[in-house]
Amino acid sequence: MLRASHLPPIANPALGALRVSLFSCLSLSSPSSRLKVSKFAPFRTLIPPAFGPSSPHRSLLSLERVVPLRGLPCPKGTASFSAGSNSGGGREILVQHLLVKEDKLLVDLQHRILGGEDLSDLAVEYSVCPSKEEGGMLGWVRKGQMVPEFEEAAFNAPLNKVVRCKTKFGWHLLQVLSEREESVLQDIQPDELHAKMQDPNFLEEAQLIDVREPEEVSQASLPGFQVLPLRQFGNWGPEIDTKLDSQKDTYVLCHHGMRSLQVAKWLQTQGFQRVFNVAGGIHAYALKADQSIPTY
């Protein structure tokens, strides 16, 4: 079983402080692929090569570090400087930035961007933030995840407008590349899920995913759940858009609720609007909701 204690800490204290939530969306596969790599690639880099049947207790690295690349527009030629006034309630924004220590350098970089250079390219060369390795990409963020000065500037910036702000880390140039409605990720208790499953319409309207391994499913299972084993992520992960509808309510199940929580968080980064993790997994479901389900 995967435990929260298995997840690695944020390596850089300054970067961890900048992004004050547990979501540290600063792990892409490579700087050169920041606008071209599929959304599967960042997830793939987080799975240890040896993770497989021979290592049942081998932990995945944190899925909270995944950066979604769906719909990422190319910002070249679109940058300008502005200070708009949008509210951040109920939405998430896709942000890239660069960080420098000197305001003189910041002004020079502003002029270069206005001249047509790309902020992400300049971030690789000049930024002192670890995100420089990813072209300054911070990923999807929502209010409450960033330090106040950065958050205020980002959520007030019109799309593709380069904005500057100052935080305790230095001077930032940031650019909001895209926005979307804030998604929902929450636990659902076994008895609540059991009640929903008594309605035939629920099984038709929702999509149910069991991320346990086949040998586990053979011991205990729930009707209507599509089995997508976590160890076989390489097979189904790249095709998630063809297998599931991101606009449907999605319920994720495992043995005790930890693996399913990680997958649920990943689905959220992929644009799934309403994701529910079955709290306690099928074990809790068998104890609290339907004792005809065997435990193992």
Side-chain angles (χ1 to χ4, degrees), residues 100-295:
V100 295
K101 296 296 185 181
E102 300 177 2
D103 56 351
K104 182 178 180 180
L105 176 58
L106 186 86
V107 172
D108 177 61
L109 295 177
Q110 280 184 309
H111 287 303
R112 291 176 62 174
I113 292 173
L114 285 173
E117 294 191 52
D118 186 15
L119 186 150
S120 58
D121 292 335
L122 295 176
V124 171
E125 186 173 356
Y126 294 101
S127 182
V128 296
C129 176
S131 66
K132 67 179 295 179
E133 301 299 328
E134 329 302 343
M137 184 62 64
L138 296 179
W140 290 100
V141 300
R142 62 180 69 109
K143 280 201 166 182
Q145 292 184 304
M146 315 297 289
V147 293
E149 301 88 349
F150 191 96
E151 182 175 282
E152 181 179 0
F155 277 94
N156 283 310
L159 290 180
N160 294 316
K161 301 292 185 180
V162 176
V163 175
R164 71 177 182 178
C165 70
K166 186 178 183 181
T167 69
K168 61 184 179 181
F169 304 107
W171 290 93
H172 304 258
L173 292 179
L174 66 92
Q175 187 175 27
V176 177
L177 300 175
S178 186
E179 65 179 0
R180 67 185 184 191
E181 182 181 351
E182 186 173 331
S183 58
V184 172
L185 171 58
Q186 63 187 55
D187 281 347
I188 182 170
Q189 296 303 315
D191 54 349
E192 183 182 355
L193 176 63
H194 181 69
K196 288 180 176 291
M197 292 184 66
Q198 307 316 303
D199 181 358
N201 292 328
F202 173 74
L203 296 178
E204 295 180 3
E205 296 170 359
Q207 48 197 4
L208 313 176
I209 308 170
D210 189 333
V211 299
R212 295 176 300 146
E213 304 308 312
E215 59 269 23
E216 295 180 88
V217 176
S218 66
Q219 298 181 64
S221 62
L222 297 182
F225 275 80
Q226 178 181 1
V227 180
L228 297 176
L230 188 55
R231 288 183 191 162
Q232 298 177 26
F233 178 85
N235 295 328
W236 57 263
E239 302 175 354
I240 197 66
D241 287 336
T242 62
K243 291 183 175 294
L244 302 174
D245 184 346
S246 63
Q247 301 305 308
K248 282 188 174 183
D249 288 2
T250 303
Y251 296 78
V252 191
L253 174 76
C254 71
H255 191 193
H256 289 292
M258 294 301 293
R259 285 173 287 174
S260 58
L261 178 59
Q262 289 190 308
V263 172
K265 289 179 178 179
W266 177 74
L267 289 171
Q268 188 184 34
T269 70
Q270 303 308 303
F272 282 70
Q273 290 300 299
R274 290 172 55 83
V275 186
F276 300 88
N277 178 54
V278 181
I282 196 169
H283 183 77
Y285 189 94
L287 295 178
K288 299 178 181 180
D290 185 352
Q291 295 184 1
S292 69
I293 303 294
T295 58

